[in-house]
């Protein structure tokens, strides 16, 4: 439909019809079998007619169901405007992929694109038009349960994933390709900075940090064409994001040139009252519409008060028209006026959802996301080795993690199933292990099996409800009963390999003496097969952490790209008055970028294409990598830069590029990574971006800690 036709519809709409377009209601209002609730339920006190006219719907899926609702909706609407179905498809629809933090550990941009693309297909054939993904909040605090939804702590890496996800969900043409869905960037902005890691808590970051660290990933997604942006629950500079004019009108619209609609998070307009920036719902509505929030999710401040605001001041009519037009444009960008059911198709649903091909992709990506944290020659396990599988995560389908709305536990390959399919030398403990308790009989069985077998695979970790939204923890260790189980087994077993299932980096110091630790995250539908392939060496692990693991919660936030202090510990480790803890290291236990494989890969011959460059030049960094093992390996060559002297104190290292290379046994490859010098630009105190002349160091290596090679270059 042409823009002028949208304008014509707008011109015919009554003010009340316009206000209704701004309201988003959940599945509960449209179906008897609403399957998921993603926020608190208020009594909205709205009429039947408002429900019928609310502009968009959250959390309904199913081809037939959405087709029926859409038909009725269009018939009822005086202008035959279609509705738009949105939902949280975060890491897969029914075929569940690893959680986003695990996807972050693949360092495989194409894999993340593929995950988004398959999620889009399954969503679209089920009648969905838009996913509330990607979540691009930079995360540094593993106490926050929502680190699970982020790709990690690095602005550069997060931005690469942001682009890949938007492209994977949306493709190039949302009208022609009805098996794509629109992508929603969230949560604007800086939700990941919640103080103390407590969900929904205040965020207090400087504007330089906000712009340099937190905003780039959102901006990358917007530049990649993401269709909609969601507000964050938190405050930014004291002003709740959902009523924050600077964030939305100035930064998002004027600076980032975003023209699509902004949606509030669930209830966030009403919550302006709880935040204490609005005395009542009417003022909350005023603040939000002034800030440029177009859609109100699951509260009714707009619905109840916008018309009064308009009566008092016609300026609000202009704001309302703007908002409605953006919503109509989004519907139009999806082709809904001409093709209101888009991809919804019962036959496709049967054929494509959870297809073998999708499962295969989920398995392959899960394999890439698993990070080997420790290995004292225990892995890989030979298929003829006698293995005992023990622990609370051994036989469960709880491997999908939060935001697996349509995923079904009985469709998940458990770790036990995965191992049994690989080897006939596996005994699965019959013990009944709970995450927080072990019966005496299960301990007995565990010890008996540990003694009788060569290797114990101990599957430990979190339940799905322990991470995700509203799932912050102050203690990020394994539950005490699991540590006790580990210690008991370790005492008697020949070798103990621990598989960790979790939605966050845990404090793993209690099990650090394990013979091997495999961080498997929540690996998704094919989790058990992927874990088995890695344990038995059919897959050489290649995952690298995208978020640091602390030694203890007291170090949090611990992240790799820190600035120097005036009293750096490294300059004088024996001095008292330096920046350090008395009782723990300054560094992560397992740092950003870290992950082992079954191969020994060495780095040599770092070469730079130039010694001196201008700000608009590109430096080429070349290094040679050699696989000294016989098995093929995927090596992630990481390039970090330090700008020695800046106007603000610069990080000691910042990831500025990487390359993933496959090396067959014994192979040596030369790898070149391009580094546009413009990438070293950073935010100055006056909030402009810039880079000055001076010396920089390039560092290359397998992770952010073990940077084996360093060379200097100069910007003139
Ligand atoms: C609240 C969450 O913060 C957000 O990420 C999600 O998209 C909405 N609920 C809708 O479910």
């Amino acid at each position: 439909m042409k823009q002028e036709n949208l304008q014509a519809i707008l011109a015919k709409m009554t003010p009340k019809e316009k206000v209704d377009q701004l309201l988003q209601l959940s599945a509960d209002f449209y179906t008897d079998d609403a399957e998921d609730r993603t926020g608190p339920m208020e009594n909205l006190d709205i009429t039947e007619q408002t429900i019928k006219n609310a502009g968009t719907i959250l959390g309904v899926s199913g081809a037939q169901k959405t087709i029926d609702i859409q038909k009725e909706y269009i018939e009822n609407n005086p202008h035959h405007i279609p509705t738009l179905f949105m939902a949280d498809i975060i890491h897969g629809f029914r075929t569940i992929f690893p959680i986003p933090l695990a996807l972050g550990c693949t360092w495989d941009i194409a894999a993340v694109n593929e995950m988004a693309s398959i999620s889009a297909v399954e969503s679209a054939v089920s009648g969905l038009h838009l996913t509330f993904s990607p979540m691009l909040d930079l995360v540094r605090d593993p106490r926050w349960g929502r680190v699970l939804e982020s790709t990690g702590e690095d602005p550069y890496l997060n931005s690469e994933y942001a682009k890949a996800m938007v492209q994977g969900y949306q493709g190039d043409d949302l009208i022609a390709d009805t098996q794509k869905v629109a992508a929603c960037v969230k949560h604007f902005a800086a939700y990941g900075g919640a103080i103390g890691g407590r969900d929904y808590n205040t965020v207090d970051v400087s504007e330089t940090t906000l712009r340099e660290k937190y905003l780039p990933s959102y901006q990358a997604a917007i530049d990649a064409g993401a269709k909609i942006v969601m507000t964050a629950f938190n405050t930014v500079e004291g002003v709740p994001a959902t009523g924050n004019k600077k964030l939305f009108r100035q930064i998002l619209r004027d600076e980032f040139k975003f023209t699509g609609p902004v949606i509030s998070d669930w209830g966030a307009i009403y919550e302006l009252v709880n935040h204490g920036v609005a005395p009542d719902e009417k003022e909350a509505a005023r603040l939000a519409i002034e800030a440029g929030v177009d859609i109100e999710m699951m509260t009714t401040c707009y619905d109840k008060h916008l018309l009064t605001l308009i009566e008092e001041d016609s300026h609000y009519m202009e704001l309302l028209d703007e908002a409605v037009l953006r919503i109509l444009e989004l519907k139009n960008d999806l082709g809904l006026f001409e093709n209101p059911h888009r991809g919804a198709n019962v036959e496709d649903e049967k054929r494509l959802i959870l297809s073998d091909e999708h499962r295969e992709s989920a398995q392959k990506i899960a394999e890439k996301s698993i990070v080997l944290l420790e290995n004292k020659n225990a892995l890989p396990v030979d298929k003829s080795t006698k293995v005992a599988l023990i622990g609370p995560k051994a036989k469960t389908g709880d491997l999908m993690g939060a935001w697996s709305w349509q995923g079904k536990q009985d469709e998940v390959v458990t770790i036990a199933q995965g191992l049994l399919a690989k080897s006939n030398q596996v005994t699965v403990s019959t013990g009944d292990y709970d995450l927080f308790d072990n019966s005496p009989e299960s301990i007995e069985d565990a010890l008996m099996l540990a003694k009788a077998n060569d290797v114990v695979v101990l599957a430990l970790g979190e339940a799905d409800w322990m991470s995700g939204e509203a799932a912050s923890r102050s203690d990020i260790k394994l539950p005490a009963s699991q540590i006790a189980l580990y210690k008991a087994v370790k005492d008697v077993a020949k070798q103990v390999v621990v598989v960790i299932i979790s939605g966050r980096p845990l404090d793993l110091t209690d099990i650090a003496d394990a013979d091997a630790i495999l961080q498997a995250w929540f690996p998704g539908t094919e989790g058990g097969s992927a874990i088995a392939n890695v344990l038995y060496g059919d897959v050489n692990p290649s995952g690298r952490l995208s978020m640091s693991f602390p030694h203890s919660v007291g170090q949090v936030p611990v992240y790799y790209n820190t600035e120097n202090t005036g009293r750096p510990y490294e300059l004088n480790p024996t001095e008292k008055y330096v920046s350090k803890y008395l009782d723990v290291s300054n560094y992560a236990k397992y740092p950003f970028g870290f992950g082992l494989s079954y191969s020994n890969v060495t780095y040599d011959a770092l070469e730079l294409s130039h010694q001196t460059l201008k700000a608009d030049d590109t430096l080429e960094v070349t290094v040679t990598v050699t696989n000294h093992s016989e098995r093929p390996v995927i090596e992630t060559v990481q390039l970090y830069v330090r700008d020695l002297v800046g106007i603000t104190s610069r990080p000691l290292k910042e990831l500025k590029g990487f390359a993933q290379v496959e090396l067959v046994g014994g192979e040596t490859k030369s790898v070149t990574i391009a580094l546009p010098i413009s990438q070293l630009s950073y935010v100055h105190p006056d909030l402009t971006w810039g880079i000055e002349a001076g010396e920089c160091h390039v560092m290359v290596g397998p992770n952010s800690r073990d940077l084996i090679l360093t060379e200097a270059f100069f910007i003139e």
Side-chain angles (χ1 to χ4, degrees), residues 390-450:
I390 298 170
K393 300 301 286 194
K395 293 179 283 189
T396 173
D398 180 7
L399 299 181
M400 295 183 293
W403 299 112
S404 310
W405 178 38
Q406 294 291 327
K408 311 237 175 306
Q409 289 208 4
D410 59 7
E411 291 168 353
V412 169
V413 179
T414 65
I415 300 178
Q417 287 163 345
L419 263 57
L420 289 166
K422 286 263 140 195
S423 159
N424 57 12
Q425 296 298 311
V426 177
T427 310
V428 180
S429 169
T430 51
D432 195 11
Y433 302 92
D434 182 86
L435 286 166
F436 304 99
D437 197 12
N438 302 303
S439 63
E441 301 80 56
S442 56
I443 297 270
E444 213 174 286
D445 192 59
L447 297 182
M448 189 265 290
L449 286 182

Side-chain angles (χ1 to χ4, degrees), residues 24 36-40 58-59 87-90 131-133 135 137 146 149 184 186-187 191 199-200 230-233 263-267 297-298 403 469:
Q24 174 163 105
D36 204 16
R37 186 160 69 77
T38 57
L58 153 67
D88 291 283
I89 309 305
I90 308 298
T131 175
F132 292 131
S133 174
M135 187 275 218
D137 305 331
R146 301 196 80 171
E149 292 172 59
C184 174
K186 66 188 190 184
H187 305 84
Y191 183 26
D199 206 2
Y200 316 124
M230 187 186 290
T231 70
F233 285 124
I263 182 168
S264 81
D265 202 343
W266 180 299
M297 187 195 295
M298 284 306 286
W403 299 112
E469 186 174 353

Side-chain angles (χ1 to χ4, degrees), residues 87 106 149 174-175 237-238 243 280 475 495 545 567 614 680 682:
T106 63
E149 292 172 59
L174 279 168
I175 294 183
E237 296 176 322
D280 52 31
D475 174 1
Q495 283 192 312
L545 298 178
R567 295 183 175 184
K614 298 201 171 49
L680 307 187
Y682 63 94

